[in-house]
Amino acid sequence: MMSKQRVCVVGAGIIGLSSAVRIQENIPGVDITIIADKFSPNTCSDGSGGFWEPFLLPKESLAQSNKWCQDTWDYLMSLVNSTTAAAFGVHTVSGYNFTGVNIPEDPPWKDQVLGYRRLSVKEIKLHPENRDGVFYTTMMINVKKYLPWLMTQFRIKNGKVINRKINSLEEVMTDYDLVVNCTGIGSYDLGDPSVYPVRGQVIRVKAPWVKHFYFDKDPSETRNKIYIFPGKDFVVLGGTSQIGNWSTDVTESDRKRILDGCSRLIPSLREAEVLEEWTGLRPSRPTIRLEKEDVCFNGKTVTIIHNYGHAGSGITLFWGCAKVATDLVTESYRLRQQSKL
């Protein structure tokens, strides 16, 4: 039997909370603590659109993340088919992804979503400035409802929670044997200079008549795409992917660009009631960092499991990445136990 060791998860967004819960599920009786300076509803995860689709991932990360995407898809689908689906605002949603150029090849996730197909000529004519596009069915979840539920599950199993800002992982190495680093954009301040923000601004509106999702090119900014995500309680309007922008202020210029772009797709959105405006910093880097690192600190070896850098795909990858982090923690437990024999 493995001796009880102390585990600390740093970060309480969807990556941190899901990692903590999965560790609890797989290591009975584990002594585990979450430490973070922001909790729901104030995390970057809370503000996300809650839409399953690989988004803003570097090409290398997209290739390596296929299994993590599938694991998360399967988990979310189990929620869709559960009695708790309404409580989480999780549901399937179908829609259009328009492009201004011909699609050279289909993405690797095309077989994970449902009913993926190229648009017909008639469908493309719905927005004649586009040249190509696809239609498929995916899922959405209300993260603001889901994160508090995850936290409740964590506390029920005697998980500990500390509200504290960590300026260095060394601050927790004295008290814990394993540290799971799920700090997102905060990893930059913790010593990873490869982390950079991809700023997003979204508007939540009351528009229950919108039933499909849409992606469309942004004529004012070629790098961005306008999007419309219809949820149970609100519709998310967005289309801001500003690399290297650290500002979390809501700007009038982005507000206008988003509303103009979305209203070009669905003119009735001009009259929709605005419920909330939000900005957040998606944590990106050249590749997702999901790996184990052993550090010598004050005469002992502390294992750090890194799980961050998911860019705009935290909702698409969280459950699969949490499984990998949990497997790495379990492996580290076993190795430590064997070293004591």
Side-chain angles (χ1 to χ4, degrees):
M1 180 177 179
M2 291 186 289
S3 61
K4 180 179 290 189
Q5 296 192 51
R6 299 162 298 174
V7 177
C8 170
V9 176
V10 184
I14 197 164
I15 299 297
L17 275 181
S18 59
S19 296
V21 168
R22 295 210 73 168
I23 290 168
Q24 280 185 320
E25 290 177 347
N26 287 272
I27 307 177
V30 64
D31 184 346
I32 184 168
T33 302
I34 293 175
I35 299 179
D37 62 335
K38 292 182 180 179
F39 295 86
S40 184
N42 300 312
T43 72
C44 185
S45 302
D46 286 280
S48 71
F51 189 84
W52 190 100
E53 180 176 325
F55 187 56
L56 300 176
L57 285 176
K59 187 173 183 180
E60 184 174 341
S61 285
L62 186 60
Q64 75 178 151
S65 65
N66 196 53
K67 178 65 166 60
W68 310 334
C69 290
Q70 184 65 58
D71 287 347
T72 306
W73 172 275
D74 293 342
Y75 171 71
L76 287 176
M77 187 57 74
S78 73
L79 294 182
V80 168
N81 294 321
S82 73
T83 57
T84 56
F88 300 145
V90 59
H91 59 97
T92 55
V93 59
S94 303
Y96 299 89
N97 192 331
F98 294 105
T99 65
V101 296
N102 292 327
I103 300 174
E105 60 181 357
D106 293 321
W109 47 266
K110 73 179 182 67
D111 294 325
Q112 294 174 330
V113 297
L114 304 175
Y116 181 97
R117 62 173 175 80
R118 296 293 180 95
L119 295 184
S120 66
V121 173
K122 186 175 182 179
E123 287 172 314
I124 293 174
K125 286 182 178 179
L126 292 171
H127 297 283
E129 68 272 25
N130 290 293
R131 297 182 59 183
D132 204 350
V134 294
F135 184 94
Y136 49 92
T137 298
T138 182
M139 286 176 283
M140 285 185 64
I141 187 168
N142 187 334
V143 184
K144 288 187 177 183
K145 291 184 176 180
Y146 177 67
L147 286 186
W149 178 81
L150 270 184
M151 179 60 80
T152 297
Q153 303 311 302
F154 179 74
R155 290 182 181 275
I156 285 173
K157 296 181 180 178
N158 300 315
K160 304 168 189 174
V161 179
I162 297 175
N163 188 343
R164 172 186 165 192
K165 182 175 177 56
I166 299 297
N167 297 303
S168 169
L169 291 179
E170 292 183 350
E171 294 178 20
V172 297
M173 289 183 184
T174 299
D175 299 322
Y176 300 95
D177 304 295
L178 291 101
V179 178
V180 186
N181 176 17
C182 304
T183 52
I185 198 67
S187 296
Y188 177 85
D189 292 327
L190 294 180
D192 187 345
S194 70
V195 174
Y196 58 89
V198 182
R199 178 182 174 275
Q201 180 168 319
V202 300
I203 305 169
R204 286 176 168 80
V205 301
K206 186 176 181 180
W209 59 89
V210 178
K211 303 301 183 183
H212 288 90
F213 72 79
Y214 295 85
F215 284 96
D216 196 15
K217 65 179 182 180
D218 183 345
S220 64
E221 292 191 22
T222 56
R223 185 169 44 82
N224 291 327
K225 293 199 78 170
I226 291 295
Y227 56 80
I228 301 171
F229 299 155
K232 173 177 174 289
D233 302 306
F234 46 76
V235 175
V236 181
L237 312 180
T240 307
S241 305
Q242 298 165 349
I243 296 175
N245 187 341
W246 288 89
S247 173
T248 55
D249 294 333
V250 172
T251 67
E252 177 60 34
S253 60
D254 285 326
R255 176 191 296 121
K256 182 178 186 305
R257 186 175 54 77
I258 291 169
L259 288 175
D260 287 348
C262 292
S263 298
R264 185 169 52 85
L265 281 167
I266 304 178
S268 57
L269 287 172
R270 283 284 182 196
E271 305 302 320
E273 177 188 353
V274 174
L275 303 175
E276 179 189 32
E277 295 184 78
W278 174 89
T279 62
L281 305 178
R282 306 177 183 99
S284 193
R285 66 192 306 274
T287 61
I288 294 170
R289 190 175 188 191
L290 186 51
E291 62 184 8
K292 181 178 76 168
E293 178 186 16
D294 289 325
V295 177
C296 184
F297 178 75
N298 285 350
K300 71 170 185 176
T301 298
V302 178
T303 298
I304 302 174
I305 309 299
H306 297 287
N307 186 9
Y308 65 87
H310 302 81
S313 296
I315 305 304
T316 307
L317 298 167
F318 75 97
W319 201 248
C321 288
K323 179 184 184 302
V324 176
T326 299
D327 290 344
L328 291 172
V329 170
T330 303
E331 177 190 16
S332 297
Y333 257 43
R334 289 175 179 153
L335 291 175
R336 287 172 177 271
Q337 189 70 13
Q338 290 172 1
S339 68
K340 294 177 182 180
L341 297 178

